[in-house]
Amino acid sequence: MRLSASGLTCIRGMRVVFENIGFELSTGEVMTVIGPNGAGKSSLLRLMAGLIRASAGRIELEAGDSDLSLPEQAHYQGHLDPLKASLTVAENLAFWTSYLGGGLGAEAALVAIGLEGLADLPAAYLSAGQRRRLSLARLVAVQRPVWLLDEPTSALDAAGQARLAELMRDHLAGGGMIVAATHGPLGIEAKELRLGRVA
Amino acid sequence: MTPLSALLVRDMRLAVRIGGGALMGVLFFLIVVTLVPLAVGPDLAQLRRIGPAMLWLGALLASLLTLDRLFAADQEDGSLDLMLMGRAPLELVVLVKAAAHWITTGLPLVIVTPLLGLFLNLEPGAIAAVALALLIGTPALTCIGLVGAALSVALRRGGLLLPVLVLPLTVPVLIFGVAAASGEASSGTAFMILGALTLMSLVLGPFAAAAALRHGLE
Amino acid sequence: MALIDLANPTRFLAFIARVLPWLVVATAIAFAIGLYLVWFSPDDYQQGATVKIMFIHVPNAWLSMVVWAVMSVAALGTLVWRHPLADVAAKSAAPLGAAFTFLALLTGSLWGRPMWGTYWVWDARLTSVLVLFLMYLGLIALWRTVEDPARAGRAAAILTLVGAVNLPIIKFSVDWWNTLHQGASVFRMGGSAIDPTILRPLLVMGLAFSLLFLTLHLAAMRNEILRRRVRALWLMQAHAAQGA
């Protein structure tokens, strides 16, 4: 499987966020998107997730499921955690698992992310780090070849970051691909895509 | 569970949990109907005459004002992003959310209508007619309101924008809904037109709302 | 045990556990005597046996206002003295107040059916009670909307006090509205003096319903305290898992 982009341009309002971006990524590879604030890291990820439209250029997923678009074959984790405070941890995860097309049982995903034992707790009681973990649990529960992660390590403590790195390695070993916008190190080998003015 | 039934269950669960608005519409309806006699006077004959119209106005406001949060809550926590990306067609997603909303707020309005009919001194026959007209007509209100809810999310403006956008669109439903409930000779025809309006908005509403949500991405 | 000791929720729970069985028995006895007296009270020469619904209606109508007064005192406790149990007392009283008010409305309308020929008239008294009912429901809705009990408690306390100030004004304006419109002539109960054969069962029933409120209120407060402890345990559980 190969993810390739060429000539990507994003214009928001009257401002050119980035221009003529291209990259290639194949199975088992990670690309980190780095750059100063406002360089368009989040915009690039949202663009790949189909949440904003590119002004020019194209993105292609070769040898993917030809019936499905890239967003439909990707997991997107933005700055927000799509969780409902009044639902329990298990209910939140079970909903996204069913909604995104089923997969691993919620129990196994919670163990993988380190939230076992909290299944019956309403999500309102979770800390920011636990909320992020619960949100990331759906990436484990439902199989998708492409992960689009926007600052995934924010709110996670050292243990959480280590666990995420482990999950990412498993995902890559299983033939997945990851594009992550980040300020800090992810803890795994990665290609780099630098946005914005080169310092 | 299929994606859409999971969504239906989730939205209904959220409505009845703490912070959800399941019975808020009914309470609002009750208050509006209580205010009517205070405004027009306690004359029972007069109340009986205007009762069906008042019930319709109350139900109209109650079902539209509760729609405000339908997409906004999902936008605020990023759930809406995942729904836009998902494999389920957005039109069906929107329709399912509307169904969950109608079951938790529209249907209760229909259920309390007979009680409020007693307050307004309606005859049993008239009460049945109003309740039936609301049962047929409230899904249309929800689906028309759906468009406003989607637009207010796309424009990132809440509050009174939704009723201002949507209330003019509900005019036909109000006219034929009240006519159907009136019990006059023409009410049979009015029932049919009301049903047609509901079927039409069931189709058009989700398409327009989905288009509005997609447009909000730009 | 001094009264101040009851401020401690744990002591209060122990106190409830001790008095609740006695209250249940007292309530049952009061109802038994009250219903016995009602059964053998004479029918009204005008209303017949229908008058007996008044023995249920009047205590409920009375309690519908007493409960709001109790909640107002609790609201002062929340806002002025910041007492930990005041908010619990107010929250657990609201559904009971709503239930008594609902029963007052229901019995009133059942009584009104044969008297007025309709279930509902917009009589000044009934309308005021209906508005009171709506205010109870609004308060309950407020508690159901906000998840954090402390925040919800303060907001509800303010609303309760505003309501307490407003209730007489509402009553006055509804009376004025009703006389302005010269509403349907409504049969007024009582007249100048209530016969002792009616008054005695009425007082006993009033006592029985008051005991019922006290019993249910203490039980509801116990449940609310336990519910908050469960919440605290959940928070601790989430916090403990954080360290792991």
Side-chain angles (χ1 to χ4, degrees):
Chain A
M1 224 182 289
R2 251 160 75 90
L3 181 64
S4 61
S6 59
L8 282 182
T9 301
C10 175
I11 301 174
R12 307 279 285 152
M14 299 295 284
R15 192 175 78 92
V16 178
V17 182
F18 53 75
E19 216 172 351
N20 206 14
I21 299 282
F23 58 82
E24 275 190 14
L25 201 63
S26 43
T27 302
E29 281 188 319
V30 188
M31 182 174 76
T32 55
V33 185
I34 54 177
N37 289 336
K41 301 188 292 292
S42 295
S43 295
L44 178 61
L45 285 171
R46 289 185 69 79
L47 196 150
M48 295 175 75
L51 296 171
I52 53 179
R53 208 159 292 173
S55 312
R58 50 187 200 90
I59 314 175
E60 244 178 309
L61 184 64
E62 289 165 34
D65 191 329
S66 56
D67 288 341
L68 297 172
S69 66
L70 170 61
E72 287 169 345
Q73 298 180 67
H75 274 305
Y76 170 70
Q77 170 65 47
H79 295 284
L80 301 166
D81 299 315
L83 307 172
K84 296 294 176 191
S86 59
L87 298 183
T88 67
V89 166
E91 283 169 341
N92 268 300
L93 183 57
F95 164 66
W96 282 121
T97 309
S98 313
Y99 187 83
L100 296 171
L104 213 62
E107 199 57 43
L110 286 179
V111 171
I113 205 75
L115 284 179
E116 66 271 24
L118 295 184
D120 295 326
L121 206 64
Y125 299 103
L126 299 183
S127 69
Q130 288 169 328
R131 288 175 59 82
R132 179 48 57 89
R133 284 185 191 217
L134 175 53
S135 177
L136 289 169
R138 75 173 186 277
L139 276 61
V140 184
V142 181
Q143 188 71 35
R144 291 280 158 96
V146 182
W147 287 8
L148 306 170
L149 310 175
D150 197 351
E151 303 284 357
T153 53
S154 70
L156 288 180
D157 55 9
Q161 294 188 11
R163 214 178 264 269
L164 175 62
E166 199 179 306
L167 293 178
M168 290 199 290
R169 269 193 290 273
D170 288 348
H171 176 61
L172 297 171
M177 283 178 275
I178 300 175
V179 179
T182 175
H183 282 296
L186 275 181
I188 45 176
E189 282 291 303
K191 282 185 171 180
E192 274 188 9
L193 177 70
R194 194 172 286 275
L195 291 182
R197 284 170 290 119
V198 181
Chain B
M1 245 191 289
T2 68
L4 293 176
S5 58
L7 180 63
L8 185 73
V9 170
R10 179 192 83 143
D11 270 27
M12 285 171 56
R13 228 179 229 159
L14 284 174
V16 297
R17 294 274 166 96
I18 239 172
L23 290 179
M24 221 54 120
V26 168
L27 190 49
F28 182 83
F29 190 27
L30 189 58
I31 290 172
V32 169
V33 170
T34 306
L35 290 180
V36 169
L38 294 174
V40 305
D43 178 17
L44 289 179
Q46 190 181 10
L47 287 175
R48 174 179 304 176
R49 201 163 54 248
I50 63 170
M54 290 302 131
L55 288 173
W56 257 98
L57 273 178
L60 175 74
L61 293 175
S63 61
L64 286 186
L65 294 181
T66 50
L67 269 171
D68 193 35
R69 302 283 303 155
L70 188 64
F71 298 114
D74 279 332
Q75 185 193 34
E76 280 159 18
D77 63 12
S79 298
L80 191 60
D81 285 344
L82 300 192
M83 290 174 192
L84 288 162
M85 285 173 70
R87 297 175 185 180
L90 193 56
E91 288 75 12
L92 287 182
V93 169
V94 165
L95 183 64
V96 166
K97 284 188 75 72
H101 184 267
W102 184 79
I103 293 169
T104 51
T105 56
L107 193 57
L109 294 181
V110 177
I111 293 169
V112 296
T113 297
L115 177 70
L116 298 185
L118 284 182
F119 277 139
L120 296 177
N121 197 36
L122 297 186
E123 301 289 341
I127 289 177
V130 179
L132 186 62
L134 282 175
L135 183 65
I136 297 173
T138 43
L141 296 179
T142 304
C143 283
I144 295 171
L146 202 56
V147 185
L151 276 174
S152 62
V153 160
L155 301 170
R156 291 177 173 68
R157 293 284 182 281
L160 280 179
L161 183 65
L162 186 146
V164 167
L165 293 176
V166 165
L167 281 174
L169 301 175
T170 59
V171 165
V173 180
L174 186 64
I175 290 176
F176 289 103
V178 174
S182 71
E184 282 161 23
S186 60
S187 65
T189 320
F191 261 115
M192 305 244 222
I193 298 178
L194 186 64
L197 287 172
T198 296
L199 291 176
M200 207 171 78
S201 40
L202 273 175
V203 176
L204 283 181
F207 274 99
L213 288 176
R214 286 208 189 89
H215 172 77
L217 301 177
E218 309 274 316
Chain C
M1 186 163 61
L3 199 61
I4 192 74
D5 287 340
L6 292 178
N8 178 323
T10 309
R11 295 252 176 81
F12 189 68
L13 282 180
F15 169 73
I16 291 178
R18 196 130 30 90
V19 298
L20 205 53
W22 296 102
L23 273 175
V24 171
V25 172
T27 308
I29 292 173
F31 267 109
I33 297 174
L35 289 173
Y36 174 84
L37 289 176
V38 168
W39 186 266
F40 290 104
S41 72
D43 288 354
D44 188 83
Y45 76 98
Q46 247 182 338
Q47 305 175 36
T50 321
V51 75
K52 288 188 175 166
I53 206 163
M54 281 296 139
F55 295 111
I56 309 284
H57 174 76
V58 174
N60 276 306
W62 186 69
L63 275 171
S64 70
M65 285 173 284
V66 169
V67 174
W68 197 284
V70 169
M71 282 166 54
S72 302
V73 174
L76 280 177
T78 306
L79 293 174
V80 180
W81 304 298
R82 307 200 166 252
H83 193 290
L85 284 175
D87 166 33
V88 172
K91 184 176 180 182
S92 36
L96 295 172
F100 286 126
T101 314
F102 177 74
L103 284 176
L105 286 170
L106 185 74
T107 50
S109 103
L110 288 178
W111 174 80
R113 177 67 185 152
M115 295 298 120
W116 304 322
T118 166
Y119 282 107
W120 185 263
V121 295
W122 293 88
D123 162 57
R125 210 178 303 185
L126 279 173
T127 308
S128 306
V129 176
L130 179 61
V131 174
L132 179 64
F133 181 58
L134 293 176
M135 287 170 63
Y136 272 117
L137 293 186
L139 261 184
I140 295 170
L142 173 62
W143 261 301
R144 289 220 14 107
T145 308
V146 184
E147 205 270 336
D148 176 23
R151 235 156 44 92
R154 277 191 296 276
I158 293 169
L159 192 63
T160 308
L161 289 179
V162 171
V165 174
N166 245 312
L167 276 171
I169 305 177
I170 292 173
K171 176 89 180 88
F172 164 78
S173 44
V174 168
D175 281 343
W176 189 82
W177 163 79
N178 200 259
T179 45
L180 177 80
H181 287 281
Q182 293 291 325
S185 67
V186 172
F187 178 85
R188 295 204 185 277
M189 163 144 180
S192 53
I194 301 175
D195 190 84
T197 53
I198 302 271
L199 187 62
R200 205 177 308 116
L202 189 60
L203 287 178
V204 177
M205 285 305 279
L207 177 73
F209 271 101
S210 304
L211 282 171
L212 179 67
F213 167 65
L214 194 61
T215 311
L216 292 176
H217 191 212
L218 285 179
M221 279 179 78
R222 178 193 59 196
N223 294 351
E224 181 61 23
I225 292 171
L226 294 177
R227 213 174 285 130
R228 288 182 187 197
R229 290 202 169 164
V230 169
R231 193 183 125 87
L233 286 176
W234 274 346
L235 279 169
M236 276 165 58
Q237 194 192 351
H239 192 72
Q242 187 83 331

